[in-house]
Amino acid sequence: MTAQPSLSRRAAAELVGTAGLLVVVIGSGLKAAELSRDTGVALIANSLASAIGLGLIITLFGPLSGAHLNPVVTLTSWWSRRIGGEGLGGREALVYAAAQSAGAIGGALLADVMFGRTPGTFATQVRDGGHLLIGEVVATAGLVLLIQGLGRIGRPRLIPAAVAAYIAAAIWFTSSGSFANPAGTVGRSFSDSFTGIAPESLPGFVGAQLVGGILGLALAALLYGTGRGGGRTVKPAPAPASEPEPEPEPVEATVPAALPETGPADGASPEKAAYETIG
Protein backbone atom coordinates (compact mmCIF):
# COMPACT_ATOMS: atom_id res chain seq x y z
CA MET A 1 0.00 0.00 0.00
CA THR A 2 1.37 3.44 -0.92
CA ALA A 3 2.03 5.92 1.88
CA GLN A 4 -0.52 8.68 2.35
CA PRO A 5 0.69 12.09 1.09
CA SER A 6 1.60 14.66 3.72
CA LEU A 7 -1.07 17.00 5.01
CA SER A 8 0.58 19.95 3.26
CA ARG A 9 0.41 18.17 -0.11
CA ARG A 10 -3.20 17.17 0.48
CA ALA A 11 -4.11 20.72 1.47
CA ALA A 12 -2.42 22.02 -1.68
CA ALA A 13 -4.45 19.55 -3.75
CA GLU A 14 -7.66 20.78 -2.10
CA LEU A 15 -6.72 24.42 -2.70
CA VAL A 16 -5.79 23.93 -6.37
CA GLY A 17 -8.70 21.59 -7.02
CA THR A 18 -11.29 23.94 -5.51
CA ALA A 19 -9.78 26.89 -7.36
CA GLY A 20 -10.02 24.92 -10.60
CA LEU A 21 -13.64 24.07 -9.88
CA LEU A 22 -14.55 27.75 -9.40
CA VAL A 23 -12.69 28.70 -12.57
CA VAL A 24 -14.77 26.14 -14.47
CA VAL A 25 -18.09 27.13 -12.88
CA ILE A 26 -17.69 30.91 -13.13
CA GLY A 27 -15.70 30.91 -16.36
CA SER A 28 -18.21 28.74 -18.21
CA GLY A 29 -21.01 30.94 -16.89
CA LEU A 30 -19.30 34.09 -18.18
CA LYS A 31 -18.64 32.49 -21.56
CA ALA A 32 -22.20 31.22 -21.87
CA ALA A 33 -23.61 34.65 -21.05
CA GLU A 34 -21.37 36.19 -23.72
CA LEU A 35 -22.48 33.79 -26.43
CA SER A 36 -26.22 33.63 -25.74
CA ARG A 37 -28.85 35.88 -24.22
CA ASP A 38 -31.08 32.85 -23.72
CA THR A 39 -30.86 31.92 -20.03
CA GLY A 40 -31.79 28.31 -20.73
CA VAL A 41 -29.03 27.87 -23.32
CA ALA A 42 -26.52 29.52 -20.98
CA LEU A 43 -27.54 27.22 -18.13
CA ILE A 44 -27.17 24.12 -20.32
CA ALA A 45 -23.65 25.16 -21.28
CA ASN A 46 -22.75 26.07 -17.69
CA SER A 47 -24.10 22.84 -16.21
CA LEU A 48 -22.35 20.60 -18.75
CA ALA A 49 -19.01 22.38 -18.39
CA SER A 50 -19.28 22.34 -14.59
CA ALA A 51 -20.07 18.62 -14.50
CA ILE A 52 -17.26 17.66 -16.88
CA GLY A 53 -14.74 19.85 -15.06
CA LEU A 54 -15.78 18.51 -11.67
CA GLY A 55 -15.42 14.89 -12.80
CA LEU A 56 -11.95 15.54 -14.19
CA ILE A 57 -10.80 17.40 -11.07
CA ILE A 58 -12.02 14.60 -8.76
CA THR A 59 -10.25 12.01 -10.94
CA LEU A 60 -7.00 13.99 -10.89
CA PHE A 61 -6.84 15.03 -7.24
CA GLY A 62 -8.74 12.14 -5.67
CA PRO A 63 -5.64 9.93 -5.21
CA LEU A 64 -3.90 12.79 -3.37
CA SER A 65 -6.48 14.28 -1.01
CA GLY A 66 -9.74 12.51 -1.76
CA ALA A 67 -10.79 15.60 -3.78
CA HIS A 68 -13.38 16.79 -1.27
CA LEU A 69 -13.41 20.35 -2.70
CA ASN A 70 -16.26 21.03 -0.30
CA PRO A 71 -16.31 21.67 3.48
CA VAL A 72 -19.55 19.68 3.85
CA VAL A 73 -17.89 16.61 2.31
CA THR A 74 -14.90 17.16 4.61
CA LEU A 75 -17.15 17.39 7.67
CA THR A 76 -18.90 14.14 6.75
CA SER A 77 -15.48 12.49 6.44
CA TRP A 78 -14.54 13.79 9.90
CA TRP A 79 -17.81 12.47 11.32
CA SER A 80 -17.25 9.06 9.75
CA ARG A 81 -13.95 8.80 11.60
CA ARG A 82 -15.58 9.81 14.89
CA ILE A 83 -18.01 6.90 14.66
CA GLY A 84 -15.25 4.39 13.97
CA GLY A 85 -14.91 4.50 10.19
CA GLU A 86 -12.26 5.92 7.90
CA GLY A 87 -11.93 9.67 7.52
CA LEU A 88 -10.13 12.81 8.57
CA GLY A 89 -9.06 13.93 12.03
CA GLY A 90 -10.17 17.28 13.44
CA ARG A 91 -6.96 19.14 12.52
CA GLU A 92 -6.98 17.71 9.01
CA ALA A 93 -10.60 18.74 8.51
CA LEU A 94 -9.85 22.33 9.55
CA VAL A 95 -6.87 22.52 7.19
CA TYR A 96 -8.95 21.09 4.35
CA ALA A 97 -11.79 23.57 4.91
CA ALA A 98 -9.37 26.53 5.02
CA ALA A 99 -7.65 25.38 1.82
CA GLN A 100 -10.99 24.90 0.06
CA SER A 101 -12.22 28.38 1.05
CA ALA A 102 -8.99 30.06 -0.07
CA GLY A 103 -9.02 28.11 -3.31
CA ALA A 104 -12.63 29.02 -4.05
CA ILE A 105 -11.97 32.76 -3.62
CA GLY A 106 -8.78 32.55 -5.68
CA GLY A 107 -10.55 30.66 -8.45
CA ALA A 108 -13.33 33.26 -8.62
CA LEU A 109 -10.81 36.09 -8.90
CA LEU A 110 -8.86 34.23 -11.59
CA ALA A 111 -11.99 33.61 -13.65
CA ASP A 112 -12.81 37.32 -13.64
CA VAL A 113 -9.26 38.23 -14.64
CA MET A 114 -9.37 35.78 -17.57
CA PHE A 115 -12.46 37.46 -18.96
CA GLY A 116 -11.14 41.03 -18.54
CA ARG A 117 -13.37 41.85 -15.60
CA THR A 118 -12.45 43.68 -12.42
CA PRO A 119 -11.56 40.95 -9.90
CA GLY A 120 -13.14 41.04 -6.46
CA THR A 121 -16.37 42.76 -7.48
CA PHE A 122 -19.02 41.32 -5.18
CA ALA A 123 -22.03 39.65 -6.75
CA THR A 124 -25.30 41.54 -6.78
CA GLN A 125 -27.62 38.63 -7.57
CA VAL A 126 -29.72 38.15 -4.42
CA ARG A 127 -30.87 34.58 -3.89
CA ASP A 128 -33.36 34.45 -1.04
CA GLY A 129 -36.65 32.78 -0.23
CA GLY A 130 -37.51 29.61 1.63
CA HIS A 131 -37.98 27.60 -1.56
CA LEU A 132 -34.36 28.24 -2.57
CA LEU A 133 -33.10 27.16 0.86
CA ILE A 134 -35.11 23.95 0.60
CA GLY A 135 -33.48 23.41 -2.78
CA GLU A 136 -30.03 23.73 -1.19
CA VAL A 137 -30.95 21.28 1.57
CA VAL A 138 -32.09 18.74 -1.04
CA ALA A 139 -29.08 19.30 -3.29
CA THR A 140 -26.53 18.91 -0.48
CA ALA A 141 -28.29 15.95 1.14
CA GLY A 142 -28.36 14.13 -2.19
CA LEU A 143 -24.66 14.80 -2.77
CA VAL A 144 -23.65 13.49 0.66
CA LEU A 145 -25.91 10.46 0.34
CA LEU A 146 -24.38 9.63 -3.05
CA ILE A 147 -20.79 9.85 -1.81
CA GLN A 148 -21.44 8.03 1.47
CA GLY A 149 -23.58 5.38 -0.20
CA LEU A 150 -21.01 4.50 -2.87
CA GLY A 151 -18.28 4.36 -0.22
CA ARG A 152 -20.27 2.06 2.06
CA ILE A 153 -21.20 -0.41 -0.67
CA GLY A 154 -17.58 -0.65 -1.75
CA ARG A 155 -17.79 1.26 -5.04
CA PRO A 156 -15.72 4.42 -4.47
CA ARG A 157 -14.26 4.29 -7.98
CA LEU A 158 -17.66 5.34 -9.32
CA ILE A 159 -17.63 8.58 -7.31
CA PRO A 160 -16.02 10.92 -9.92
CA ALA A 161 -18.50 10.08 -12.67
CA ALA A 162 -21.44 9.76 -10.28
CA VAL A 163 -20.84 13.11 -8.57
CA ALA A 164 -20.35 14.87 -11.91
CA ALA A 165 -23.61 13.42 -13.25
CA TYR A 166 -25.46 14.29 -10.04
CA ILE A 167 -24.34 17.93 -10.11
CA ALA A 168 -25.32 18.28 -13.77
CA ALA A 169 -28.78 17.00 -12.91
CA ALA A 170 -29.16 18.89 -9.62
CA ILE A 171 -28.42 22.23 -11.28
CA TRP A 172 -31.67 21.63 -13.13
CA PHE A 173 -33.92 19.80 -10.68
CA THR A 174 -33.32 22.04 -7.64
CA SER A 175 -34.79 25.51 -7.26
CA SER A 176 -31.48 26.93 -6.01
CA GLY A 177 -29.29 25.71 -8.87
CA SER A 178 -27.44 23.29 -6.55
CA PHE A 179 -24.57 25.27 -5.06
CA ALA A 180 -24.23 22.49 -2.42
CA ASN A 181 -20.79 23.70 -1.32
CA PRO A 182 -20.10 26.36 1.36
CA ALA A 183 -16.62 27.19 0.02
CA GLY A 184 -17.88 27.40 -3.55
CA THR A 185 -20.80 29.56 -2.44
CA VAL A 186 -18.46 32.02 -0.71
CA GLY A 187 -16.18 32.05 -3.76
CA ARG A 188 -19.06 32.78 -6.11
CA SER A 189 -19.96 35.87 -4.08
CA PHE A 190 -16.65 37.39 -5.27
CA SER A 191 -17.78 37.47 -8.90
CA ASP A 192 -20.70 39.56 -10.13
CA SER A 193 -21.61 37.11 -12.88
CA PHE A 194 -24.21 34.68 -14.15
CA THR A 195 -23.30 32.19 -11.41
CA GLY A 196 -22.80 34.68 -8.57
CA ILE A 197 -24.60 35.09 -5.27
CA ALA A 198 -24.83 38.32 -3.28
CA PRO A 199 -22.99 38.32 0.08
CA GLU A 200 -26.24 38.93 1.98
CA SER A 201 -27.56 35.60 0.68
CA LEU A 202 -24.59 33.63 2.02
CA PRO A 203 -25.81 32.88 5.58
CA GLY A 204 -29.04 31.27 4.41
CA PHE A 205 -27.36 29.19 1.69
CA VAL A 206 -24.46 28.01 3.87
CA GLY A 207 -26.84 27.15 6.71
CA ALA A 208 -29.06 25.17 4.36
CA GLN A 209 -26.02 23.30 3.03
CA LEU A 210 -24.96 22.29 6.55
CA VAL A 211 -28.48 21.06 7.29
CA GLY A 212 -28.42 19.13 4.02
CA GLY A 213 -25.11 17.53 4.98
CA ILE A 214 -26.54 16.32 8.29
CA LEU A 215 -29.63 15.00 6.53
CA GLY A 216 -27.49 13.18 3.96
CA LEU A 217 -25.47 11.52 6.73
CA ALA A 218 -28.65 10.45 8.51
CA LEU A 219 -30.08 8.95 5.32
CA ALA A 220 -26.82 7.10 4.61
CA ALA A 221 -26.83 5.62 8.13
CA LEU A 222 -30.48 4.63 7.81
CA LEU A 223 -30.05 2.97 4.41
CA TYR A 224 -26.55 1.52 4.62
CA GLY A 225 -25.68 1.36 8.32
CA THR A 226 -22.90 3.21 10.05
CA GLY A 227 -19.97 1.26 8.60
CA ARG A 228 -18.70 0.09 5.27
CA GLY A 229 -20.77 -2.66 3.71
CA GLY A 230 -24.04 -1.29 5.03
CA GLY A 231 -23.48 -2.50 8.54
CA ARG A 232 -24.69 -5.98 7.69
CA THR A 233 -23.14 -8.97 9.39
CA VAL A 234 -23.34 -12.26 7.56
CA LYS A 235 -22.77 -15.28 9.74
CA PRO A 236 -20.99 -18.20 8.11
CA ALA A 237 -23.06 -21.33 7.64
CA PRO A 238 -22.18 -24.10 10.09
CA ALA A 239 -20.16 -26.93 8.63
CA PRO A 240 -22.22 -30.12 8.12
CA ALA A 241 -21.62 -32.87 10.62
CA SER A 242 -19.71 -35.82 9.21
CA GLU A 243 -18.72 -39.19 10.51
CA PRO A 244 -15.09 -39.62 11.59
CA GLU A 245 -12.97 -40.94 8.76
CA PRO A 246 -11.32 -44.32 9.39
CA GLU A 247 -7.60 -44.27 9.97
CA PRO A 248 -5.66 -45.26 6.83
CA GLU A 249 -3.70 -48.48 6.90
CA PRO A 250 0.08 -47.94 7.11
CA VAL A 251 1.86 -48.36 3.80
CA GLU A 252 5.52 -48.64 3.05
CA ALA A 253 6.75 -45.41 1.47
CA THR A 254 9.42 -45.25 -1.17
CA VAL A 255 11.88 -42.39 -0.63
CA PRO A 256 13.38 -40.95 -3.84
CA ALA A 257 17.11 -40.56 -4.12
CA ALA A 258 16.89 -36.79 -4.29
CA LEU A 259 14.02 -34.31 -3.86
CA PRO A 260 13.73 -31.60 -6.55
CA GLU A 261 14.39 -28.07 -5.26
CA THR A 262 11.39 -25.78 -5.16
CA GLY A 263 11.46 -21.98 -5.49
CA PRO A 264 9.40 -19.61 -3.43
CA ALA A 265 5.73 -19.50 -4.31
CA ASP A 266 4.63 -16.39 -6.15
CA GLY A 267 2.51 -14.19 -3.88
CA ALA A 268 -0.34 -12.03 -4.99
CA SER A 269 0.51 -8.35 -5.17
CA PRO A 270 -1.35 -6.26 -2.59
CA GLU A 271 -4.42 -4.55 -3.95
CA LYS A 272 -4.05 -0.81 -4.23
CA ALA A 273 -6.54 0.90 -1.93
CA ALA A 274 -9.13 3.11 -3.62
CA TYR A 275 -9.04 6.82 -2.64
CA GLU A 276 -11.86 8.64 -0.42
CA THR A 277 -14.24 11.53 -1.57
CA ILE A 278 -17.25 13.30 0.31
CA GLY A 279 -17.00 12.90 0.96
Side-chain angles (χ1 to χ4, degrees):
M1 182 180 295
T2 57
Q4 186 182 44
S6 65
L7 179 57
S8 60
R9 286 182 60 195
R10 286 181 282 146
E14 288 295 305
L15 187 149
V16 175
T18 310
L21 176 60
L22 267 292
V23 168
V24 171
V25 171
I26 295 176
S28 62
L30 290 170
K31 191 68 173 180
E34 283 183 3
L35 297 177
S36 176
R37 295 183 180 179
D38 189 317
T39 304
V41 172
L43 187 58
I44 289 175
N46 178 240
S47 61
L48 288 177
S50 299
I52 293 170
L54 176 59
L56 293 174
I57 290 170
I58 295 175
T59 301
L60 179 62
F61 293 104
L64 287 174
S65 66
H68 294 188
L69 316 175
N70 185 335
V72 168
V73 176
T74 295
L75 287 174
T76 59
S77 175
W78 167 78
W79 180 254
S80 295
R81 180 165 177 172
R82 281 185 60 87
I83 61 176
E86 297 181 355
L88 297 178
R91 176 172 172 268
E92 293 173 307
L94 288 174
V95 171
Y96 267 46
Q100 292 156 0
S101 300
I105 295 172
L109 299 178
L110 177 58
D112 275 343
V113 170
M114 282 199 307
F115 283 87
R117 297 162 59 90
T118 302
T121 302
F122 287 113
T124 56
Q125 185 172 354
V126 177
R127 301 176 188 262
D128 56 12
H131 65 293
L132 296 182
L133 300 184
I134 292 174
E136 275 302 282
V137 171
V138 171
T140 312
L143 176 64
V144 170
L145 176 60
L146 176 65
I147 295 171
Q148 289 286 317
L150 288 175
R152 295 183 190 195
I153 64 176
R155 295 183 178 179
R157 293 186 183 278
L158 297 179
I159 288 177
V163 169
Y166 173 81
I167 291 299
I171 287 174
W172 283 90
F173 74 72
T174 61
S175 58
S176 63
S178 185
F179 284 44
N181 182 337
T185 303
V186 171
R188 287 161 74 162
S189 71
F190 281 80
S191 175
D192 190 16
S193 62
F194 175 75
T195 57
I197 177 172
E200 57 262 37
S201 300
L202 289 179
F205 263 58
V206 172
Q209 291 157 2
L210 294 176
V211 171
I214 295 171
L215 178 59
L217 275 176
L219 288 172
L222 174 66
L223 295 173
Y224 301 104
T226 56
R228 183 172 178 176
R232 295 174 297 176
T233 303
V234 179
K235 296 182 179 180
S242 58
E243 297 181 0
E245 297 181 359
E247 295 183 0
E249 297 181 1
V251 294
E252 185 176 350
T254 303
V255 181
L259 295 175
E261 295 183 0
T262 59
D266 291 335
S269 61
E271 181 181 358
K272 186 179 179 181
Y275 62 82
E276 179 186 357
T277 319
I278 93 297

